[in-house]
């Protein structure tokens, strides 16, 4: 079965750039999405179709996808971005999620 | 904007069946596909399956033998049935809208389904 791999944790200082990776076989040949989840809340879509931001998502969130790796980049990270982030893609009519990355802003 | 509300029994005994319902409001059901996604406490997200308004379904291969999803457009509801449950099925279950871009756009608040005797 298809797998997506994320680092368990990433740390960043406020105002700096955070990058969260998601790796999978030929992931660049699929569309990747990213979700943000804060404690006790439902996930929120922050990036879809590799690079697109839904309405209401700040411009500091951006995405890329090439080769075997998709990347979520948060520029000028703020304390409110402290959360879990999940990547997701489709493989053979099955949705697959990465294991999640805990982003700590400190 | 779509609003999704999950409902159903919070506690189910091992080997029995978990039945959940999702009520949709705020937009036409015809504009979306629908999915169920679950999350055990402290763990990641697991996709359960998707259903179209036509009733066509796709399920996670790891759960396929135990899952049934259905849609009732007259009631604006989507249902999930998970049979032969074990403690490993204890999780928060989310009802989610699935857009044509393949992204999960709108999420319900989630409902905790606990499997315990």
């Amino acid at each position: 079965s298809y797998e997506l791999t994320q680092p368990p944790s990433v740390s960043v200082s406020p105002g700096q750039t955070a990058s969260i990776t998601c790796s999978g076989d030929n992931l660049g040949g699929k569309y990747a999405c990213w979700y943000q989840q804060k404690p006790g809340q439902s996930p929120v879509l922050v990036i879809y179709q590799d690079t697109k931001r839904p309405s209401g998502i700040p411009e500091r969130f951006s995405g890329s996808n090439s080769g075997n790796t998709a990347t979520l980049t948060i520029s000028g990270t703020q304390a409110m971005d402290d959360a879990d982030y999940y990547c997701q893609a489709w493989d053979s009519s099955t949705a697959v999620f990465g294991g999640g990355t805990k982003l700590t802003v400190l | 904007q779509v609003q999704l509300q999950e409902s159903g029994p919070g506690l189910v005994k091992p080997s029995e069946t978990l039945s959940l319902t999702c009520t949709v409001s705020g937009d036409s059901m015809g504009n979306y596909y629908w999915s169920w996604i679950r999350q055990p406490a402290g763990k990641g997200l697991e996709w359960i399956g998707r259903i179209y308004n036509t009733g066509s379904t796709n399920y996670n291969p790891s759960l396929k033998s135990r899952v049934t999803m259905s849609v009732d457009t007259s009631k604006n509801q989507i249902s999930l049935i998970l049979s032969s449950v074990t403690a490993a099925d204890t999780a928060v279950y989310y009802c989610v809208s699935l857009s044509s871009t393949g992204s999960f756009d709108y999420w319900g608040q989630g409902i905790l389904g606990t499997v315990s005797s």
Side-chain angles (χ1 to χ4, degrees):
Chain A
S1 61
Y2 193 76
E3 295 184 355
L4 294 174
T5 301
Q6 299 181 234
S9 62
V10 169
S11 297
V12 64
S13 300
Q16 299 303 303
T17 296
S19 294
I20 301 173
T21 58
C22 175
S23 299
D25 186 43
N26 191 32
L27 180 56
K30 311 175 190 297
Y31 279 131
C33 300
W34 290 92
Y35 303 87
Q36 176 194 69
Q37 186 179 33
K38 297 181 179 180
Q41 297 184 17
S42 302
V44 173
L45 177 69
V46 295
I47 294 289
Y48 68 100
Q49 287 187 327
D50 297 338
T51 62
K52 299 178 180 178
R53 278 180 294 105
S55 174
I57 300 302
E59 290 184 7
R60 64 180 181 273
F61 288 86
S62 63
S64 64
N65 186 15
S66 179
N68 294 322
T69 304
T71 303
L72 173 68
T73 301
I74 309 173
S75 304
T77 305
Q78 300 183 9
M80 68 174 65
D81 301 328
D82 193 297
D84 293 329
Y85 291 85
Y86 295 90
C87 62
Q88 175 256 315
W90 288 89
D91 179 72
S92 301
S93 299
T94 299
V96 179
F97 286 94
T101 298
K102 168 62 180 172
L103 177 67
T104 301
V105 182
L106 42 68
Chain B
Q1 180 169 328
V2 174
Q3 287 93 45
L4 304 166
Q5 180 66 59
E6 303 91 345
S7 61
L11 181 63
V12 181
K13 290 182 170 56
S15 80
E16 295 189 346
T17 296
L18 175 69
S19 297
L20 299 176
T21 299
C22 173
T23 302
V24 180
S25 61
D27 200 351
S28 169
M29 287 192 69
N31 292 334
Y32 301 93
Y33 310 135
W34 309 99
S35 266
W36 288 91
I37 293 168
R38 70 181 184 179
Q39 184 175 36
K43 297 188 178 181
L45 302 168
E46 181 180 30
W47 179 74
I48 298 171
R50 66 180 175 185
I51 186 167
Y52 300 94
N53 289 331
T54 58
S56 175
T57 56
N58 296 102
Y59 299 134
N60 187 322
S62 68
L63 298 169
K64 185 176 182 178
S65 63
R66 300 193 292 128
V67 172
T68 303
M69 294 176 61
S70 61
V71 61
D72 187 338
T73 54
S74 67
K75 295 182 178 179
N76 283 355
Q77 291 182 335
I78 306 110
S79 297
L80 170 69
I81 295 176
L82 182 64
S83 63
S84 304
V85 297
T86 69
D89 294 310
T90 294
V92 173
Y93 286 77
Y94 294 102
C95 176
V96 190
S97 68
L98 172 60
S99 78
S100 58
T101 64
S103 58
F104 299 108
D105 291 358
Y106 300 104
W107 296 64
Q109 64 182 28
I111 184 169
L112 177 61
T114 301
V115 180
S116 175
S117 56

